[in-house]
Amino acid sequence: MSVTIPLHAIELAPGSQIAIHNLSWQDFERLLEDLGEKRNTRIAYYRGTLEIMSPLALHERPHRIIAYIITTILEEQGRNWEDFGSTTFKRPDIAGVEPDTCFYIQNASQVKGCTQMDLTVYPPCDLAVESDVTSKTTLNAYISLRVPEVWIYSNHQLTVYILQADGYVESLLSPTFPNLPVTELIPRLVQKAIDDGTRQMLRELRALLRD
């Protein structure tokens, strides 16, 4: 005997996640509609496996701070960007993922006027940022979507993943910010924002970039 429980009736404790296997793309699309936009969970779908994650507040703050850091650096460098937050990116029948936050930088001009993401029309984001441990399902989804750069912040460390022909490889340098030691800089700035306040951290970052 099987029991069907509506997904919206399942409550996830902060910091927990569930995986649902053998889920069709059509079922995934229906679940997205049922879950709606106003929710605190993140989803990742790859070839029949759906993961739903409920982040801790402890893990939510770092990616917002990292977003401030990224936009401050881009502003100081005089570069354009578009922040697409946790937009859902989908490659029908194969993959779907919601980054903690993401940016169009190199392709910023190509998403002007975009209010509904469609990867048959627009390119994938240039940089996705994830806070805490990211699952294999999530990284496989990013590979399928061909996101060129993914940052994962976990345990006070930043790991940069660069997309190659056969998947992601770790890198000490970011192609988006090749002249900055981001794997050292980002964790230090995140901790400074937590200790001293985000505004003070950004003020010191601007001074550093202008030296």
Side-chain angles (χ1 to χ4, degrees):
M1 177 180 177
S2 63
V3 178
T4 301
I5 301 174
L7 197 59
H8 60 76
I10 299 174
E11 293 187 9
L12 290 180
S16 64
Q17 67 182 59
I18 62 172
I20 302 172
H21 302 288
N22 302 315
L23 194 73
S24 71
W25 180 261
Q26 290 73 26
D27 288 337
F28 169 60
E29 291 274 35
R30 282 193 291 269
L31 286 174
L32 280 180
E33 292 182 11
D34 290 343
L35 289 169
E37 295 292 334
K38 295 181 179 180
R39 53 187 163 84
N40 296 323
T41 54
R42 294 282 186 270
I43 60 94
Y45 176 91
Y46 179 72
R47 295 190 182 278
T49 295
L50 172 69
E51 289 186 355
I52 306 174
M53 296 146 278
S54 179
L56 288 165
L58 176 66
H59 300 142
E60 281 285 288
R61 193 174 180 202
H63 75 76
R64 295 311 311 150
I65 295 172
I66 292 171
Y68 290 132
I69 295 169
I70 290 171
T71 55
T72 298
I73 295 172
L74 291 169
E75 183 66 27
E76 290 297 320
Q77 293 179 343
R79 300 164 67 185
N80 294 328
W81 79 89
E82 298 295 338
D83 182 348
F84 271 63
S86 57
T87 294
T88 304
F89 292 90
K90 295 184 286 187
R91 182 181 175 190
D93 299 323
I94 298 177
V97 71
E98 294 171 340
D100 283 331
T101 195
C102 68
F103 293 88
Y104 283 85
I105 302 168
Q106 295 89 332
N107 289 313
S109 63
Q110 296 190 43
V111 292
K112 287 182 179 178
C114 174
T115 57
Q116 186 169 349
M117 180 50 60
D118 182 346
L119 291 180
T120 65
V121 178
Y122 303 102
C125 59
D126 296 305
L127 172 61
V129 178
E130 294 279 356
S131 182
D132 202 8
V133 177
T134 297
S135 69
K136 184 178 179 180
T137 298
T138 302
L139 282 177
N140 281 336
Y142 280 126
I143 292 171
S144 295
L145 297 169
R146 308 306 295 171
V147 173
E149 184 172 356
V150 177
W151 290 5
I152 297 179
Y153 181 85
S154 181
N155 296 321
H156 308 289
Q157 294 183 330
L158 181 75
T159 305
V160 174
Y161 290 93
I162 308 302
L163 186 64
Q164 303 293 332
D166 56 350
Y168 285 109
V169 296
E170 291 188 28
S171 174
L172 293 177
L173 297 176
S174 163
T176 304
F177 304 105
N179 297 321
L180 292 174
V182 295
T183 55
E184 299 175 8
L185 185 65
I186 296 296
R188 178 164 59 83
L189 293 174
V190 169
Q191 191 59 49
K192 187 166 189 63
I194 292 171
D195 293 340
D196 301 336
T198 302
R199 185 166 179 259
Q200 176 63 27
M201 178 274 292
L202 292 176
R203 184 184 299 117
E204 294 183 20
L205 173 59
R206 290 188 185 97
L208 174 67
L209 295 170
R210 292 171 184 177
D211 283 345

